[in-house]
Amino acid sequence: MQNQSRRVAIIGGQRIPFVRSFREYSRTTNQEMLIATLRGLVKKCNLEGRMLGDVSLGAVMTSSIEWNLAREVVQGSGLDAHTPAFNVQRACGTSLETVNLIALKIAVGQIDSGIAGGSDTNSDLPIMVQRALAWKLIDINNAKSFGERLSKILRIRPSDLKPAYPGIVEPRTGLSMGQHTERMVKEWKISRQEQDQLAYESHVKAARAYQEGFYNDLVTPFKNATRDTIVRGDTTLEKLAKLKPVFDKSEAGTMTAGNSTAFTDGASAVLLGSEEFARQNNLPVQAYFKDAEAAAVDYVQGAGLLMAPTIAVARMLRRHNLTLQDFDFYEIHEAFAGQVLSTLKAWESAEYCRKVLGLEKALGAIDRSKMNVKGGSLALGHPFGATGARTVATLAKLLHQKGSGRGLISICTGGGMGVVAILER
Ligand SMILES: CC(=O)SCCNC(=O)CCNC(=O)[C@H](O)C(C)(C)COP(=O)(O)OP(=O)(O)OC[C@H]1O[C@@H](n2cnc3c(N)ncnc32)[C@H](O)[C@@H]1OP(=O)(O)O
């Protein structure tokens, strides 16, 4: 951030276990998951009854019934009820954007402290009625007589009763995120083996992180969910190789349930503050928020749907005069193994960097041993609105453990956007 008046401290994160959809949290709402998460964070940081400057939360698949989600969550969180809150939605970049907004408010001195976070549940989708039925119901309600009402009721057709709910499909192309990514992996010539290898490594790293105790600090208020359930310590490349392609079912298809994220339910949040706030409250600073950037691609005209982080990262590096190699950690959201690999290949391509990013040469390769070192979304799961805060919390913890350094976060989103950020210590 340029002209930043003060540094923004990341004090710590909290999340509930991320679980496969339609299982442990199948009767749990976004609001309940977020309340549980914030309660955990509030307790961990001794903030019970305290008023914070602001709270920003969001979910992608949220119901209009939860129109004031963030404020409702704050009221159930144990914070002072005078703490304000607001909702944000930027698809899978939602909670990285909430972190950005809270950080900006702290940086310019509007607030001293705040919580950012998000959640999502595919088990509790906002199921609505078809528009046609909604309009007929309004007409019935406005009918002036019993006869008129009856005639309007009789206009309801069985097809009107089909439920309507959001899907993982881009409305402007009619293709799912997976189908779009199949196009990207074909364009970038990413093999099935490369994708399975990346997925395998994500599970191995996450399982190792569990053994090391890195994820021992999850808050587990729901008795039936005590740990992340998607990570598989027993995955092998042979098992992954046997899975059938799901988005392009022909022989050319390379994307499977093993190298794509599973539908996931979960929530996460991060506490941010000025250095003064951290000091006054005896809260150790894990890392500092340096900057964030968002970009978008015109996927309707043929750009790769999930390639926008390549643009956002290039802009942010230029602003700070950094190279892609100037990082100790890379937290790259693994929506699909093929999308991560397409992004890495694009940064390595002189032609792409010249034509799309306007650079003289390629950004180059990253040291893959520094990428998603505690596992990524393929192994940990991807509750859309929660992934950003999970990556911020993970990276802040890694920088804290290391004692110094810099980390890059890169998240691709539906609608062809990318949200990225730099943390440092
Ligand atoms: C910006 C963004 O983030 S975009 C991303 C947004 N998210 C998405 O688009 C979600 C993408 N994911 C999906 O659509 C679905 O999860 C799918 C289609 C990939 C898979 O769905 P399902 O077939 O229901 O997956 P399911 O979990 O049942 O797995 C299928 C099989 O693969 C197996 N499998 C999955 N992962 C692994 C693994 N790592 N190792 C071994 N086996 C595995 C399962 O055990 C299961 O086997 P079984 O049928 O013998 O029980």
Side-chain angles (χ1 to χ4, degrees):
M1 208 174 312
Q2 279 160 354
N3 306 322
Q4 175 178 314
S5 52
R6 53 183 186 166
R7 290 212 291 182
V8 178
I10 296 165
I11 294 162
Q14 187 63 277
R15 70 176 174 91
I16 54 173
F18 288 0
V19 307
R20 201 170 283 279
S21 294
F22 313 111
R23 307 270 171 94
E24 290 83 350
Y25 300 155
S26 64
R27 296 289 179 270
T28 311
T29 63
N30 277 315
Q31 194 178 132
E32 288 162 342
M33 288 194 293
L34 276 167
I35 286 177
T37 305
L38 263 71
R39 275 181 178 274
L41 186 58
V42 163
K43 193 161 174 232
K44 181 168 147 181
C45 300
N46 292 320
L47 295 171
E48 280 106 341
R50 296 284 307 276
M51 187 176 94
L52 299 186
D54 217 339
V55 171
S56 179
L57 302 171
V60 180
M61 299 292 180
T62 190
S63 160
S64 52
I65 290 171
E66 294 185 321
W67 56 275
N68 214 353
L69 178 67
R71 173 68 181 142
E72 290 298 329
V73 169
V74 162
Q75 288 173 288
S77 68
L79 289 170
D80 184 319
H82 293 91
T83 304
F86 63 103
N87 294 345
V88 167
Q89 207 271 45
R90 200 200 268 279
C92 299
T94 291
S95 56
L96 186 53
E97 192 59 64
T98 62
V99 168
N100 182 37
L101 293 171
I102 292 293
L104 289 169
K105 282 169 172 259
I106 294 168
V108 298
Q110 282 180 3
I111 60 173
D112 243 359
S113 61
I115 289 178
S119 75
D120 252 291
T121 162
N122 283 285
S123 307
D124 184 36
L125 287 180
I127 296 179
M128 295 167 289
V129 297
Q130 298 286 335
R131 274 260 162 80
L133 179 60
W135 289 329
K136 285 176 189 174
L137 291 174
I138 292 169
D139 288 348
I140 293 165
N141 196 43
N142 291 340
K144 300 273 184 299
S145 66
F146 177 75
E148 191 188 346
R149 182 161 297 155
L150 191 62
S151 89
K152 288 190 169 158
I153 288 171
L154 291 173
R155 279 190 213 154
I156 294 175
R157 298 281 162 270
S159 61
D160 294 337
L161 302 177
K162 206 173 132 210
Y165 45 84
I168 310 295
V169 169
E170 285 299 336
R172 288 174 190 278
T173 60
L175 297 177
S176 69
M177 311 267 169
Q179 288 168 323
H180 269 284
T181 308
E182 269 286 3
R183 285 183 171 182
M184 282 161 47
V185 301
K186 287 183 178 106
E187 183 188 340
W188 288 98
K189 299 189 174 52
I190 313 278
S191 70
R192 164 80 183 262
Q193 288 74 15
E194 283 177 279
Q195 294 176 54
D196 284 353
Q197 180 72 34
L198 192 139
Y200 169 72
E201 285 169 14
S202 186
H203 283 276
V204 169
K205 287 182 282 189
R208 196 188 303 133
Y210 259 99
Q211 279 165 6
E212 290 165 358
F214 188 83
Y215 294 116
N216 277 357
D217 57 356
L218 301 191
V219 62
T220 56
F222 303 106
K223 287 196 175 55
N224 56 351
T226 53
R227 53 177 292 149
D228 297 326
T229 61
I230 290 161
V231 55
R232 294 177 192 234
D234 62 350
T235 293
T236 62
L237 284 167
E238 291 69 35
K239 279 188 198 167
L240 286 165
K242 283 195 186 122
L243 300 175
K244 293 208 162 46
V246 282
F247 299 112
D248 171 358
K249 296 190 173 149
S250 77
E251 287 208 340
T254 56
M255 293 174 53
T256 68
N259 59 39
S260 308
T261 44
F263 287 112
T264 314
D265 302 339
S268 62
V270 191
L271 174 67
L272 299 110
S274 64
E275 289 181 284
E276 206 183 338
F277 171 84
R279 208 171 27 250
Q280 280 172 354
N281 290 282
N282 289 324
L283 292 165
V285 174
Q286 291 196 325
Y288 294 93
F289 176 89
K290 189 172 175 66
D291 199 3
E293 177 72 40
V297 291
D298 190 350
Y299 62 95
V300 180
Q301 296 300 322
L305 177 75
L306 303 180
M307 296 300 282
T310 60
I311 302 171
V313 163
R315 272 191 213 149
M316 195 169 57
L317 293 178
R318 195 176 313 145
R319 184 153 68 237
H320 293 279
N321 204 17
L322 289 169
T323 73
L324 187 57
Q325 292 69 37
D326 288 338
F327 295 88
D328 302 279
F329 301 104
Y330 301 85
E331 280 297 320
I332 304 200
H333 163 49
E334 300 163 344
F336 304 94
Q339 152 267 322
V340 176
L341 292 163
S342 301
T343 300
L344 298 181
K345 276 206 172 177
W347 283 331
E348 288 168 27
S349 157
E351 191 189 353
Y352 181 88
C353 289
R354 194 179 62 250
K355 278 193 188 154
V356 180
L357 308 181
L359 301 172
E360 282 173 13
K361 57 183 176 69
L363 285 174
I366 66 164
D367 177 350
R368 295 249 196 123
S369 70
K370 296 177 179 173
M371 184 176 89
N372 301 344
V373 295
K374 302 298 177 191
S377 301
L378 286 167
L380 297 169
H382 173 40
F384 315 128
T387 290
R390 172 188 68 75
T391 53
V392 170
T394 300
L395 181 53
K397 204 163 149 185
L398 286 168
L399 290 166
H400 188 222
Q401 286 179 351
K402 188 173 184 302
S404 66
R406 187 184 292 125
L408 178 70
I409 298 175
S410 167
I411 298 184
C412 58
T413 89
M417 296 184 289
V419 193
V420 304
I422 298 174
L423 308 189
E424 62 185 12
R425 183 182 167 94

